Amino acid sequence: MDDIILSGITGHAVADALGVPVEFTDRKKLLKDPVTSMRSYGTYNLPAGTWSDDTSLTLALVDSLAYGLNYEDMMNRFNNWLFEAKYTPFDKVFDVGIGTEQALSRFKEGIGPLECGGTSERDNGNGSLMRILPIYYYLQSTYGEAFIEKSESFEIIHNVSALTHAHKRSQIACGIYIAIAAEIGKQKYLSKAVERGLNQAKTFYENKNGYREELNYYHRLEKISELPSEEIKSSGYVVDTLEAAIWCLLTTKSYSACVLKAVNLGQDTDTVAAVAGGLAGLYYGYESIPNVWLEQLVKREYIEDLCAELSSAL
């Protein structure tokens, strides 16, 4: 458990940090000046190795799960991030998603944790997908390697998404992502892992009322690796983010190639890279992450300590 937690969470954080300096940058501009290493300053005028809300909320979830599955505790820790700057690289919050901020404000006002997430079609940003990876470790520890075959696993995934993003489309994105993560842990070949994970999720959603129709938004994932880059969007819309991340994963052959490809798609660079980087970290392993990037990662020891605590707890 130590290895897969450290590999996935660090893979996520490093990729996030690579994307932060060029967030919102146009793809054409990045084609002329592609990111090849950690950059300083840029969009938020921050030092190299600085990670964003993607990693902050992921770490908050890692910390919470070390004490069990408790949705109220998760939201308390998310609020500790937003209002007290905990789980941040420099004790300062930046790059807060609108949907996430609204959900956490509702919780602060006394609304129950599972009632806080937005439910309208406009509430389908990538704010729950970007932090969902830690639930994979909890589910595997609780239900075993075949956890994705249990409906209870999807219910938990959906609940963790619903803390900030409760629309079924966002929940499905999280379900697909965790199903793929589960298969990456078991399959030798990456393409087979993605295919099997996607099929596991499809089987569940095709037989679940209210989700079947929303599953249609993810039909391109079945042949995503065959699409040219011109057809890959890298926006903050949850469908675009998941597609772009899986595309980068399937069209590269190393951790570094995957996350750099994600960053250089432009737009929501930190989140697309983080979502791709979590899976790439799981598949290629911690040792595949360039040491120079690890050395530049802000609060690296803090991230590693939280991963170790979750591993020990599970």
Side-chain angles (χ1 to χ4, degrees):
M1 186 64 78
D2 279 359
D3 288 345
I4 63 170
I5 293 176
L6 188 61
S7 297
I9 301 303
T10 308
H12 176 287
V14 167
D16 180 9
L18 284 164
V20 163
V22 292
E23 188 177 9
F24 310 124
T25 302
D26 182 77
R27 190 178 301 183
K28 291 180 181 178
K29 184 176 180 180
L30 287 171
L31 280 172
K32 296 177 182 177
D33 181 25
V35 173
T36 58
S37 60
M38 290 282 186
R39 291 186 178 184
S40 300
Y41 308 109
T43 303
Y44 297 100
N45 196 34
L46 292 164
T50 302
W51 27 274
S52 74
D53 59 328
D54 302 53
T55 298
S56 292
L57 287 167
T58 298
L59 294 178
L61 187 55
V62 166
D63 199 13
S64 180
L65 288 170
Y67 299 90
L69 184 72
N70 185 318
Y71 302 121
E72 186 156 345
D73 182 73
M74 291 174 191
M75 289 294 272
N76 280 325
R77 293 177 193 274
F78 292 168
N79 270 357
N80 288 342
W81 158 72
L82 181 60
F83 298 109
E84 300 174 20
K86 192 174 181 183
Y87 308 108
T88 59
F90 297 112
D91 300 320
K92 181 180 179 181
V93 175
F94 69 96
D95 193 24
V96 182
I98 295 173
T100 296
E101 185 173 20
Q102 290 175 340
L104 298 186
S105 295
R106 293 185 192 110
F107 180 72
K108 192 176 183 182
E109 293 167 2
I111 296 175
L114 296 180
E115 306 300 321
C116 290
T119 57
S120 76
E121 185 155 2
R122 294 179 62 85
D123 294 312
N124 280 307
N126 52 26
S128 63
L129 177 63
M130 71 184 193
R131 59 165 171 79
I132 200 66
L133 180 59
I135 203 64
Y136 158 59
Y137 306 118
Y138 172 82
L139 292 173
Q140 186 186 66
S141 173
T142 303
Y143 297 112
E145 284 195 359
F147 73 84
I148 206 64
E149 297 174 11
K150 297 180 179 293
S151 61
E152 295 95 327
S153 294
F154 282 98
E155 181 180 352
I156 291 170
I157 293 167
H158 293 170
N159 286 342
V160 174
S161 174
L163 297 174
T164 57
H165 293 71
H167 193 279
K168 291 179 175 61
R169 197 173 309 163
S170 290
Q171 292 177 325
I172 290 174
C174 291
I176 291 172
Y177 187 77
I178 296 301
I180 290 173
E183 289 300 325
I184 282 176
K186 297 187 289 185
Q187 298 294 327
K188 180 178 180 180
Y189 298 105
L190 189 54
S191 59
K192 180 61 69 175
V194 173
E195 179 186 355
R196 286 179 61 87
L198 184 57
N199 285 338
Q200 288 272 20
K202 280 180 60 183
T203 298
F204 176 79
Y205 290 120
E206 285 174 345
N207 293 291
K208 189 168 179 62
N209 290 336
Y211 288 83
R212 190 178 305 110
E213 298 76 16
E214 287 292 327
L215 184 61
N216 292 329
Y217 285 91
Y218 295 96
H219 73 278
R220 296 206 320 168
L221 286 174
E222 295 181 26
K223 296 185 178 180
I224 195 71
S225 64
E226 300 174 13
L227 298 179
S229 60
E230 295 78 19
E231 292 188 33
I232 302 299
K233 299 176 183 178
S234 48
S235 77
Y237 173 44
V238 69
V239 177
D240 289 349
T241 298
L242 184 61
E243 285 188 348
I246 300 303
W247 181 79
C248 291
L249 189 68
L250 290 176
T251 57
T252 54
K253 294 184 179 180
S254 69
Y255 172 83
S256 56
C258 174
V259 298
L260 289 175
K261 193 168 192 174
V263 170
N264 288 313
L265 286 175
Q267 291 183 281
D268 200 353
T269 52
D270 57 335
T271 304
V272 172
V275 172
L279 295 180
L282 279 177
Y283 183 71
Y284 294 108
Y286 182 81
E287 65 280 358
S288 71
I289 304 172
N291 195 54
V292 65
W293 294 352
L294 290 171
E295 290 175 349
Q296 291 175 290
L297 186 66
V298 175
K299 286 189 177 178
R300 173 186 173 185
E301 289 185 4
Y302 171 66
I303 293 171
E304 292 176 348
D305 286 347
L306 285 176
C307 290
E309 288 173 11
L310 178 59
S311 178
S312 177
L314 296 181

